Each structure stands twice: as C-alpha cells, then as structure tokens.
Amino acid sequence: MKKITALLLSIMMLLAVTACGSASSSATPSSSAPASSESAEPAIKSTADLVGKKIGVQLGTTGDIYASDIEDATIEQYNKAFEAVQALSQGKIDAVMVDDQVAKALAENNDDVTVLEEPFTVEEYAICVSKDKSDLTAAINTAIAELKADGTLQAILDKYIGQVEGAKGYESPADVDRSKGTLVMATNAEFPPYEYHEGDSIVGVDAEFAKAICDKLGYELKIEDMAFDAIIAAVQSGKADFGAAGMTITEDRLMSIDFTDSYCTASQVIIIKK
C-alpha cells in the first residue's frame, strides 16, 4: 500500500512540475516580447498639422513672419537657422520653418531631420534698396534683366542650387570697369546656398549675382555680413547701398524699403524630426 501511495505521489508531483513548466513557457513570450519594430509616426505630416505646435524660425526672416500666423502656434526665434534645427533635434521644438534651399542644406547635414514635401508658401526673392535711391533700383533692375537674358543668372543658379555638373557660375571679365566706386551689400552669411562663408570669403547665389550686377554697373562690390533683421535698417541708414539675402518681397517690408524685380522664386518649407 505504501508503494502504491508513493507511486501516486510521484505521479502527482511530476504532473505538477509539468503544469508549472507549461504555465511558465506560455507566459514567457508575452512578458519578454520584443518592442514593435514599427517607428512612431511623425506628429507633423503636413502643414495643416502645425496648428498649436512649437515652431522654430530665424529671427526676422519670412519664416518668422509666416509662422506667427499659424493658429495657436508658439514661435521660437533663433539668430541662425541651424540653431533652430539643433533645437528640433534636441526635442525643444516641433518643427522649423525656413527657405527651401536652406532647409535642403540643413537636412543634408543633420541625419535625424527631414523636409516636408508640401511647401508652406511660394515667394519671390529680390534685392532691397532705400526708397531714397530710386535711380539705383532702376539701374539694378536693368542689370537683372540683362543678366537673366544672357544666361548669367541661370548659370549661377545651376552652380549653387541645381548643382549641375560643370556649372561655373559667374566670373568677372578680365577687362571689367569698376571706375564708379564701391557698392556695399548687406547680407546674412548663414543662408547656404544663397550666402555663406567659404574660407575668408562670402559666396553663394546672392554674393555671385551681386558681383555680376556691380560689374554691369561699373562698381566694386563690398559685402558686409550682419544679422538678418539688421539688413533693412542698414540699407535705410545708408550703411549699405542694398541688401541681398534671400529676401522675400512682403507688404510689411515694402512700407520701409523698395525692392528690385525678382531674380529667384523660392518657398518656405517645414523641417521635422524623422
């Protein structure tokens, strides 16, 4: 009888151990299942999603103006566009509004951000001139028309924006006459490909196009680098003869400054985290 009882106890213990093992093995997959491999959807997938978001802009730029019109949005202003992108990478803001070609350059140098395909707005870039210098505005307009017609502007755009292989942009003729003196251009050299530092020089679309304009008009070009929101004041005060910095024609700016004919069409776009 003792042997039978012992045998029954052994069988019961074996069944209990098996049952525990079964319970354990069935619980393990759910408790240690790997996290979903699907990445979270970005909170901003179109410009309509900017409502109520925290948006970074460069102080005084068109993006600064347009972003302030977005419903319930909080605007964070930065002195330089790349500082806004750094804040985006650090999670301090939800998006950055900036010019399309500038955004493209910033995204190429920051692997964790991308640019929405949908533009926020399309705009025209022009050179700003004091309202007291209508003769200079007219002369620059004549030069712009000639440089468009002879392909010089397109060659510059091919070099800096299209990045067309072999595009050389503009080079001054060997016999250029600059006997009329010097024109000072105010810019903000933090806006590649429109203007940026390359060694000790400021280069880019605006710098090279301004050089072509000054060559046409018979002037030496001098470029003064300053904060973007200081450019109009510099032109108004006579510290600079004109301003060129990927500057958009807006109604507000036209109240204090004149603009030449447009030389480039661009757009404001949105940078988000991937």
Side-chain angles (χ1 to χ4, degrees):
M1 186 64 185
K2 288 182 179 179
K3 290 183 178 179
I4 294 174
T5 301
L7 179 59
L8 289 173
L9 286 173
S10 297
I11 292 172
M12 292 175 66
M13 291 176 64
L14 178 62
L15 290 173
V17 169
T18 304
C20 289
S22 298
S24 176
S25 61
S26 64
T28 300
S30 61
S31 61
S32 60
S36 171
S37 59
E38 294 181 3
S39 57
E41 284 283 325
I44 298 173
K45 292 182 284 187
S46 75
T47 56
D49 297 328
L50 293 172
V51 174
K53 294 296 190 297
K54 187 177 288 187
I55 304 169
V57 299
Q58 184 176 2
L59 179 65
T61 61
T62 314
D64 191 0
I65 297 171
Y66 288 138
S68 62
D69 292 333
I70 297 173
E71 184 180 356
D72 295 330
T74 300
I75 309 304
E76 297 287 341
Q77 297 173 316
Y78 299 86
N79 288 323
K80 299 174 182 176
F82 79 86
E83 293 174 346
V85 172
Q86 285 180 339
L88 176 65
S89 296
Q90 295 165 0
K92 296 178 179 177
I93 56 178
D94 301 307
V96 175
M97 185 180 293
V98 71
D99 304 58
D100 56 348
Q101 294 301 323
V102 178
K104 180 180 177 182
L106 290 168
E108 288 175 351
N109 292 315
N110 295 273
D111 295 337
D112 60 338
V113 303
T114 187
V115 182
L116 288 183
E117 291 186 8
E118 176 192 11
F120 186 81
T121 185
V122 177
E123 56 195 2
E124 299 289 333
Y125 287 169
I127 294 169
C128 69
V129 184
S130 168
K131 288 184 176 294
D132 297 329
K133 295 183 178 179
S134 57
D135 290 347
L136 178 59
T137 304
I140 293 176
N141 279 337
T142 299
I144 289 174
E146 293 176 359
L147 293 167
K148 283 181 177 178
D150 68 13
T152 299
L153 175 58
Q154 188 58 54
I156 294 170
L157 296 176
D158 286 347
K159 176 182 177 181
Y160 288 102
I161 295 180
Q163 296 185 338
V164 177
E165 186 175 356
K168 295 182 179 179
Y170 173 76
E171 294 180 1
S172 297
D175 59 347
V176 63
D177 177 10
R178 299 185 181 120
S179 59
K180 290 185 178 179
T182 300
L183 288 179
V184 177
M185 164 182 154
T187 195
N188 173 233
E190 302 290 346
F191 245 49
Y194 293 99
E195 44 269 324
Y196 57 98
H197 290 277
E198 189 171 88
D200 295 330
S201 301
I202 294 175
V203 300
V205 172
D206 290 332
E208 202 157 305
F209 192 46
K211 184 179 180 182
I213 290 172
C214 286
D215 283 354
K216 277 277 185 185
L217 301 181
Y219 290 95
E220 188 81 35
L221 172 65
K222 180 181 179 182
I223 300 177
E224 293 283 353
D225 187 21
M226 61 188 68
F228 186 86
D229 63 346
I231 293 174
I232 289 179
V235 173
Q236 285 179 308
S237 68
K239 181 180 178 181
D241 295 294
F242 64 90
M247 187 172 288
T248 307
I249 305 170
T250 68
E251 293 299 322
D252 284 346
R253 288 171 179 163
L254 281 169
M255 293 175 66
S256 54
I257 208 83
D258 282 342
F259 280 97
T260 65
D261 296 335
S262 173
Y263 61 90
C264 187
T265 300
S267 59
Q268 289 292 313
V269 297
I270 306 302
I271 304 176
I272 59 171
K273 288 194 74 172
K274 289 182 177 176

